[in-house]
Amino acid sequence: MAADQITFPVIDLAKLNTEERKTTMEMIKDACENWGFFELMNHGISKELLDTVERLTKEHYEKCMEQMFKEMVASKGLEAVQSEINDLDWESTFFIRHLPISNMSEIPDLDQDYRDAMKEFVKELENLAEQLLDLLCENLGLEKGYLKKAFYGSKGPTFGTKVSNYPACPKPELIKGLRAHTDAGGLILLFQDDKVSGLQLLKDGQWIDVPPMRHSIVINLGDQLEVITNGKYKSVVHRVIAQSDGTRMSIASFYNPGSDAVIFPAPALVEEAAADEKNQAVLYPKFVFEDYMKLYAGLKFQAKEPRFEAMKAMESAVNVGPIATV
């Protein structure tokens, strides 16, 4: 099927409270099984808050980061490149950690109104992430709360936000905004620019645009959900294409396992796979999330399969009891 004939999954979350709940749950299930990505409308985060966060993010970039980015480009001679650049991304970013302990107050140059808006925004996103994890549990036949508990570790989940701007690029065919990769963590919630596109995912060997839609939140699944679902849901390779016009804003929040959480395929899904003679029962290793992240740090832009294999080689050292969901 040609890329322009593929319809990217857009899900109206408000329909969960109507007679269309079953259809909506089916759409979420299909998106998780066949896309690894979907876009949410009517997700419960107010449009006013989204507009405020967008405005303040763009103002912060212009005031505090744009000049730094221009200096970096000039110092590396990137305006004049003649061949493809494979070791650099055309993006300006900063990171905020929210859980288990926030570092928002330590980040310089954030105006108080921006801090306040971000604090409110990420609290809403945290609630949305936990709601979505329970919807995934329902579709997977896991008991409610299983995925949240699987992520919990001893101090609760890790939650953080990468705020990115992708400025107009003079040579977008030679420099990627962000190189192709899968996300290492759990559930990713993205608030992206609705005017400047650039995010693409790889589906059936073709790059598909993730449509920029006003007030939507894009969801994608990370490597940890692939492991816990024993491959039923998969993390998907995606990238950002640099654009020659306009600056694209991207606010990606990562709801990840705690650093000491032990990640392994849900036993119920392993049993299900074992009952199907075409499948191997356990496809994935058992590991501590922090160990995976250490490995990922150096291999982010490479295939995920060797990462899983490396974790398999280490797994005899990991000891784990059953996950209590009560």
Side-chain angles (χ1 to χ4, degrees), residues 3 16 25 33 36 38 66 83 100 108 128 133 137 139 172 187-188 215 262 284 304 312:
L16 287 175
M25 290 298 287
E33 288 181 357
F38 51 97
E66 189 169 25
S83 56
L128 179 58
L133 287 178
C137 283
N139 271 337
L187 196 67
I188 298 84
H215 299 134
V262 179
Y284 293 86
K304 62 189 168 183
K312 253 183 199 163

Side-chain angles (χ1 to χ4, degrees), residues 108-165:
D109 306 325
L110 297 187
D111 294 340
Q112 192 55 46
D113 54 351
Y114 190 23
R115 287 180 208 275
D116 292 344
M118 282 301 274
K119 211 173 277 185
E120 187 184 347
F121 177 55
V122 299
K123 190 68 204 159
E124 294 274 0
L125 284 175
E126 184 190 340
N127 293 337
L128 179 58
E130 292 179 353
Q131 180 192 353
L132 286 168
L133 287 178
D134 276 343
L135 294 174
L136 266 53
C137 283
E138 189 179 329
N139 271 337
L140 289 161
L142 297 172
E143 55 199 0
K144 189 175 180 179
Y146 183 92
L147 289 171
K148 187 180 171 184
K149 282 286 184 348
F151 280 26
Y152 205 80
S154 63
K155 301 185 193 74
T158 313
F159 188 41
T161 295
K162 177 187 177 188
V163 180
S164 307
N165 282 275

Side-chain angles (χ1 to χ4, degrees), residues 64-96:
C64 303
M65 301 188 74
E66 189 169 25
Q67 189 54 37
M68 256 191 313
F69 184 78
K70 285 177 177 169
E71 286 166 13
M72 182 279 289
V73 168
S75 72
K76 295 187 185 303
L78 292 177
E79 303 102 322
V81 294
Q82 300 300 319
S83 56
E84 192 165 358
I85 304 270
N86 291 314
D87 60 353
L88 192 74
D89 300 310
W90 187 268
E91 65 173 358
S92 168
T93 64
F94 68 95
F95 294 85
I96 309 170

Side-chain angles (χ1 to χ4, degrees), residues 117-292:
M118 282 301 274
K119 211 173 277 185
E120 187 184 347
F121 177 55
V122 299
K123 190 68 204 159
E124 294 274 0
L125 284 175
E126 184 190 340
N127 293 337
L128 179 58
E130 292 179 353
Q131 180 192 353
L132 286 168
L133 287 178
D134 276 343
L135 294 174
L136 266 53
C137 283
E138 189 179 329
N139 271 337
L140 289 161
L142 297 172
E143 55 199 0
K144 189 175 180 179
Y146 183 92
L147 289 171
K148 187 180 171 184
K149 282 286 184 348
F151 280 26
Y152 205 80
S154 63
K155 301 185 193 74
T158 313
F159 188 41
T161 295
K162 177 187 177 188
V163 180
S164 307
N165 282 275
Y166 298 92
C169 177
K171 301 277 180 74
E173 67 286 356
L174 298 179
I175 309 175
K176 294 282 180 294
L178 180 58
R179 289 162 283 165
H181 64 287
T182 65
D183 288 326
L187 196 67
I188 298 84
L189 305 97
L190 168 70
F191 175 39
Q192 66 167 349
D193 205 294
D194 64 298
K195 294 175 189 71
V196 184
S197 65
L199 179 61
Q200 296 183 324
L201 64 94
L202 190 62
K203 179 168 170 57
D204 305 327
Q206 296 181 77
W207 287 105
I208 310 287
D209 290 323
V210 176
M213 293 172 66
R214 191 153 171 72
H215 299 134
S216 74
I217 299 287
V218 176
I219 305 297
N220 74 286
L221 312 181
D223 295 348
Q224 307 311 304
L225 281 174
E226 177 166 340
V227 172
I228 296 170
T229 65
N230 204 33
K232 204 162 190 174
Y233 297 168
K234 291 193 167 57
S235 59
V236 169
V237 174
H238 54 284
R239 67 183 184 185
V240 176
I241 296 294
Q243 305 287 1
S244 54
D245 294 313
T247 295
R248 175 179 179 267
M249 177 204 76
S250 158
I251 303 174
S253 295
F254 299 82
Y255 188 98
N256 289 348
S259 58
D260 64 353
V262 179
I263 302 300
F264 56 96
L269 299 179
V270 174
E271 282 170 30
E272 196 180 290
D276 181 348
E277 287 159 18
K278 296 192 292 293
N279 285 327
Q280 291 171 274
V282 183
L283 301 176
Y284 293 86
K286 179 188 292 182
F287 52 83
V288 176
F289 179 60
E290 189 173 27
D291 291 339
Y292 189 86

Side-chain angles (χ1 to χ4, degrees), residues 6-15 20 23-28 30-32 35 37-43 192 201 209-219:
I6 298 175
T7 307
F8 185 85
V10 178
I11 292 161
D12 182 346
L13 215 54
K15 289 187 175 174
E20 292 182 62
T23 311
T24 306
M25 290 298 287
E26 282 294 328
M27 287 173 72
I28 295 171
D30 180 71
C32 289
W35 287 82
F37 265 82
F38 51 97
E39 198 151 0
L40 289 181
M41 304 304 292
N42 297 319
H43 38 66
Q192 66 167 349
L201 64 94
D209 290 323
V210 176
M213 293 172 66
R214 191 153 171 72
H215 299 134
S216 74
I217 299 287
V218 176
I219 305 297

